[in-house]
Amino acid sequence: MENTTAPGTPPAYRRVLLKISGEALMGPQGYGLHPPTVARVASQVQAVHALGVEVCMVIGGGNIFRGLQGSAQGMERTTADYMGMLATVMNALAMQASLEGLGVHTRVISAIPMDQICEPYIRRRAVRHLEKKRVCIFAAGTGNPYFTTDTAAVLRASEMACEAIFKGTKVDGVYDTDPVGNPNAKRYETVTYDDVLQQNLKVMDASAIALARDNRLPIIVFSLDDADGLDGILAGRGRFTRVQV
C-alpha cells in the first residue's frame, strides 16, 4: 500500500533530522563522492527547507572509510573508527558546498574540534542555528569510537528536539528480508522498535533503535530515489516505513 496524501499538504513536522549513509553519495561509483548524487540530495533538502522545516543532517562515511572494515583487516578498532569519523567530515563539507550553492545557509558541526574547517559541537549554539533556519550537518559521529553514525543521528535528533528522523536509503522502507536478494520480501507500513530489535530488521543498529524507543522518536525509512522526494515523504506521500512504539 502506498501513502497517498494529496499534494500541497503541509509538512507533518517542524524540525527533522535526515540520516543518509555515505554509500548513498557514491551514486553509480564504487567509492568516494558522486557530485551529481550529492547535488540531487542537496536539492531535496533545499525543497524541504523552503517549506520552513528546520533541517539537520547526519551523513555516514562508508563511501570513503568504514571503521569496522578497517578493524576486520587488522587495524586497531579505535584508530579505524576515528578514520571513519574523519570521512564523515569530508562528506559533510561536500554537502555543505552543494547546499550553499543552492543558496541554503549551512553549518558543519563536528563532534571532534577542527576549528579551521567547521564548528565544534555546542548544543545551544546548534539549536540557535536551526532557529535561524540554517541547515546543521553534524559530523564526526558522537566523537567516540565504537558508536555508529546511526547512534549519532538519534543522539543529535534527541538533543535538537527533532520530531522525527528520516533515514534515506536505497530501498523504499523496511522489509522482513533483503528485497534485493528476495523479490518476495514483505515491506512494512509501520513496525515497532521492539519488532526491529527482536527480528533484527536492518533499520539502524540496536543502540540507535533503543535510544529512539526510549525517547519515543519516530524513524521514517524511505528511498532517496522516491519520485515524491523528501518533501513529499515529509508530507506523507510516497512509499515509506514508519518505526514507532
Side-chain angles (χ1 to χ4, degrees), residues 26-179:
M26 290 193 305
Q29 304 172 158
Y31 177 82
L33 288 159
H34 183 240
T37 300
V38 177
R40 180 171 57 82
V41 174
S43 68
Q44 293 194 35
V45 175
Q46 179 200 31
V48 169
H49 183 265
L51 297 174
V53 178
E54 297 172 2
V55 182
C56 44
M57 301 179 69
V58 169
I59 306 172
N63 57 319
I64 299 172
F65 188 86
R66 182 178 292 278
L68 277 174
Q69 290 179 350
S71 178
Q73 294 171 7
M75 185 178 293
E76 195 271 325
R77 173 65 186 271
T78 300
T79 298
D81 280 356
Y82 278 125
M83 291 174 68
M85 292 179 216
L86 294 177
T88 71
V89 176
M90 295 171 69
N91 285 338
L93 292 172
M95 184 59 64
Q96 179 184 46
S98 193
L99 282 167
E100 296 204 336
L102 296 173
V104 180
H105 294 295
T106 310
R107 295 289 186 275
V108 173
I109 302 172
S110 172
I112 300 174
M114 45 187 81
D115 296 343
Q116 288 83 354
I117 58 175
C118 54
E119 293 185 9
Y121 177 70
I122 300 172
R123 188 188 68 83
R124 291 175 65 89
R125 181 187 293 175
V127 169
R128 186 64 179 140
H129 285 319
L130 290 175
E131 292 171 348
K132 290 183 176 180
K133 306 305 179 184
R134 297 166 181 156
V135 173
C136 290
I137 308 174
F138 297 113
T142 66
N144 300 289
Y146 298 96
F147 290 92
T148 67
T149 51
D150 282 343
T151 301
V154 178
L155 175 63
R156 295 293 183 243
S158 301
E159 291 177 309
M160 295 298 105
C162 291
E163 297 170 340
I165 296 174
F166 284 74
K167 182 170 182 180
T169 70
K170 295 181 179 180
V171 295
D172 56 1
V174 179
Y175 287 77
D176 59 349
T177 59
D178 185 359

Side-chain angles (χ1 to χ4, degrees), residues 6 16 30 34 61 65 85-86 144 153 195 207 230 237 240-241 243:
V16 300
H34 183 240
F65 188 86
M85 292 179 216
L86 294 177
N144 300 289
D195 285 341
S207 297
L230 177 58
R237 303 191 303 274
F240 56 85
T241 298
V243 183

